[in-house]
């Protein structure tokens, strides 16, 4: 898009470095989340806040009406936006509840979770929700979640052998994800000779074509 003169908005900003589920969703699919925030969450939260103020509700009742309900409804719609299936609905419900619990924790002025613990809890919550999102059905999602505890690990060597290249790509992703920032790339391009930049672009195209598998018509973010 940039080569054609089209400037696209940034859609992901290092989401796997987030230390809270709300921060992760401020970094993940940012264009969709801005749309949902502008047209669903903010208007609904504003309306419910006005209702709570007119009724002079208590602190936690106001929290439920003005924050928890709009958050859960917004992520429920987010799930339906991705597909009309129970697995997408469960994905939205898990995310909405997780964000509500985080906001309630802060509102109650509970102790701050250490950085590494906050990151692990965020990743665990997100991976459980995305399991339902990615699985074709609720039964399949449950099977995937239970597999590490009740599945067979006998064929781990064969599995590693068959999937060595994808595992390598995941390792490289984890290694460089923290540096995955468009601003860093722009600075690097400005400070690098043009012929080296074009060589890097061509190499990137070659690698992308080489590792691409399956039908090109698959859904891509």
């Amino acid at each position: 898009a940039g080569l054609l003169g089209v400037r696209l908005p940034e859609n992901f900003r290092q989401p796997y470095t987030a230390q809270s589920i709300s921060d992760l969703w401020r970094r993940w699919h940012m264009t969709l989340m801005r749309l949902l925030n502008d047209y669903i969450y903010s208007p609904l939260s504003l309306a419910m806040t006005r209702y709570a103020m007119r009724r002079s509700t208590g602190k936690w009742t106001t929290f439920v009406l003005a924050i928890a309900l709009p958050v859960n409804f917004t992520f429920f719609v987010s799930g339906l936006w991705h597909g009309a299936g129970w697995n997408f609905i469960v994905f939205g419900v898990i995310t909405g509840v997780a964000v509500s619990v985080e906001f309630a924790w802060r509102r109650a002025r509970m102790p701050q979770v250490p950085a590494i613990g906050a990151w692990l809890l965020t990743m665990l919550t997100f991976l459980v929700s995305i399991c339902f999102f990615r699985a074709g059905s609720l039964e399949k999602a449950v099977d995937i979640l239970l597999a590490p505890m009740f599945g067979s690990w006998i064929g781990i060597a064969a599995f590693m052998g068959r999937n060595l290249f994808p595992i390598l790509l995941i390792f490289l992703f984890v290694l460089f994800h923290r540096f995955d920032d468009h601003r860093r790339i722009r600075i690097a391009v400005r400070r690098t000779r043009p012929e080296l930049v074009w060589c890097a672009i061509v190499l990137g195209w070659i690698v992308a074509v080489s590792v691409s598998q399956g039908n090109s018509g698959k859904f891509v973010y």
Side-chain angles (χ1 to χ4, degrees):
L3 290 173
L4 297 175
V6 179
R7 178 171 292 183
L8 298 176
E10 188 177 7
N11 210 25
F12 294 85
R13 183 181 296 160
Q14 300 166 295
Y16 291 107
T17 62
Q19 296 181 10
S20 70
I21 193 69
S22 63
D23 187 35
L24 186 147
W25 280 100
R26 282 190 287 268
R27 300 164 177 261
W28 183 283
H29 208 339
M30 295 158 60
T31 52
L32 173 63
M33 296 313 298
R34 281 196 293 266
L35 176 71
L36 295 176
N37 179 74
D38 292 344
Y39 291 98
I40 297 180
Y41 174 76
S42 291
L44 183 59
S45 178
L46 181 60
M48 297 303 289
T49 300
R50 290 172 176 170
Y51 174 82
M53 293 177 64
R54 288 197 303 267
R55 296 281 181 170
S56 299
T57 58
K59 172 183 175 180
W60 286 106
T61 303
T62 301
F63 171 81
V64 171
L65 292 174
I67 298 179
L69 286 179
V71 162
N72 281 273
F73 183 73
T74 300
F75 279 105
F76 175 78
V77 173
S78 172
L80 288 180
W81 183 88
H82 287 91
W86 283 109
N87 54 315
F88 294 110
I89 293 175
V90 172
F91 155 78
V93 169
I94 292 175
T95 306
V97 170
V99 173
S100 299
V101 169
E102 177 197 332
F103 289 165
W105 183 277
R106 294 180 182 176
R107 192 175 184 85
R109 300 183 184 276
M110 300 296 286
Q112 186 174 359
V113 180
I116 185 63
W119 179 80
L120 288 172
L121 186 59
T122 299
M123 291 299 104
L124 177 63
T125 304
F126 177 70
L127 291 175
V128 169
S129 69
I130 214 71
C131 180
F132 284 93
F133 178 91
R134 187 66 180 85
S137 64
L138 295 180
E139 294 78 9
K140 183 64 174 178
V142 173
D143 289 342
I144 294 173
L145 291 173
L146 294 179
M149 295 171 285
F150 301 103
S152 173
W153 290 86
I154 298 176
I156 187 67
F159 174 83
M160 295 287 289
R162 290 195 303 267
N163 298 278
L164 186 59
F165 186 66
I167 292 172
L168 175 62
L169 292 180
I170 293 173
F171 174 77
L172 291 175
F173 171 80
V174 172
L175 193 63
F176 292 105
H177 181 58
R178 183 170 291 276
F179 307 101
D180 182 12
D181 190 322
H182 289 186
R183 293 167 295 184
R184 296 175 184 268
I185 297 175
R186 293 191 186 99
I187 293 174
V189 168
R190 293 192 188 104
R191 296 179 178 179
T192 306
R193 295 175 63 86
E195 56 268 26
L196 296 178
V197 172
W198 280 104
C199 287
I201 292 174
V202 172
L203 177 63
W205 280 340
I206 293 173
V207 172
V209 172
S210 300
V211 302
S212 296
Q213 298 179 9
N215 186 355
S216 61
K218 290 182 178 180
F219 177 78
V220 178
Y221 270 108

